[in-house]
Amino acid sequence: MIRILLAEDQHVIREALATLLSLESDIEVVAAVDSGDAALAAALTHRPDVAVLDIDMPGARDGLDAAGELRTRLPECRTLMLTGHGKPGHLRRALASQVDGFLLKTAPPDELTSAIRKVARGERVLDPSLAVTAWNLADNPLTPREADVLRLAAAGAEAPEIAAQLFLSAGTVRNYLTAIVAKLNARNRTDAARIAAEAGWI
């Protein structure tokens, strides 16, 4: 019997997944929770074989944060991430966190149950539609200082404010922003911030 922890913040989806998985003769849902914080607590209590975690959940921990902590605190628990969209940034964080599987919520039910069984056996699973994205994940072209500048710009700070926070001149900040826009082949700093956020660079 494969013991499953299910973490999904949307009640209807969580209940539907729990019902679906309970129909399988070799899968038992031992806990179903609505946040990354609750997932960690439930995992330490129930010690499941596989944690099926939604990436985007409210609270201090999202699904990927919870997966990282599970790897440290309960290494025998395998992790399968579910997401509604295959953002490169999410995939990058998932691979960096060494999760065992990454599946889109649009996958057919039999793919989910198959992925759970594979992960429980120690195999790695990647949604086929994400394979090309994983292959093409580019290295972060931004320097740490450029990332700092762009992070502040994305939060709405103007050049003088960024300069004051980072102990730079306003001219240097503007030079950084110009270089960032060019490196990311963006239309402007707003577009650069979007590109970098989606890629998981800021």
Side-chain angles (χ1 to χ4, degrees):
M1 186 66 75
I2 304 169
R3 292 164 48 81
I4 298 297
L5 162 70
L6 183 60
E8 160 63 59
D9 65 309
Q10 295 184 38
H11 183 77
V12 172
I13 295 176
R14 185 174 66 251
E15 292 301 317
L17 286 172
T19 300
L20 172 76
L21 294 175
S22 66
L23 296 174
E24 301 295 317
S25 60
D26 59 339
I27 293 175
E28 178 189 4
V29 179
V30 296
V33 298
D34 63 359
S35 70
D37 296 329
L40 185 62
L44 294 173
T45 300
H46 296 283
R47 309 189 85 74
D49 301 307
V50 178
V52 179
L53 307 167
D54 181 20
I55 288 181
D56 295 309
M57 289 188 288
R61 295 180 185 88
D62 66 8
L64 287 170
D65 294 330
E69 289 201 46
L70 282 173
R71 178 162 291 282
T72 301
R73 299 177 64 181
L74 197 66
E76 65 273 21
C77 177
R78 314 282 291 173
T79 51
L80 174 63
M81 308 309 301
L82 292 181
T83 185
H85 33 71
K87 288 183 180 176
H90 282 163
L91 187 52
R92 180 188 307 282
R93 282 182 61 208
L95 296 174
S97 299
Q98 297 181 300
V99 302
D100 302 294
F102 196 97
L103 201 63
L104 291 176
K105 289 182 184 179
T106 53
D110 61 327
E111 278 187 29
L112 173 60
T113 53
S114 173
I116 287 171
R117 292 182 181 105
K118 287 178 180 177
V119 164
R121 289 196 301 264
E123 298 177 36
R124 303 289 293 276
V125 175
L126 178 64
D127 192 294
S129 66
L130 297 175
V132 173
T133 302
W135 187 263
N136 290 331
L137 278 179
D139 290 331
N140 184 351
L142 303 177
T143 66
R145 179 57 88 186
E146 287 170 340
D148 290 341
V149 168
L150 187 56
R151 199 173 291 111
L152 290 170
E158 293 297 328
E161 187 182 348
I162 296 170
Q165 288 192 46
L166 298 180
F167 305 102
L168 301 169
S169 72
T172 299
V173 168
R174 283 189 282 273
N175 288 341
Y176 273 127
L177 289 169
T178 300
I180 290 165
V181 168
K183 277 186 177 183
L184 300 185
N185 198 24
R187 294 185 302 276
N188 50 44
R189 69 176 67 174
T190 303
D191 191 38
R194 177 192 60 77
I195 292 167
E198 287 182 357
W201 296 329
I202 61 170

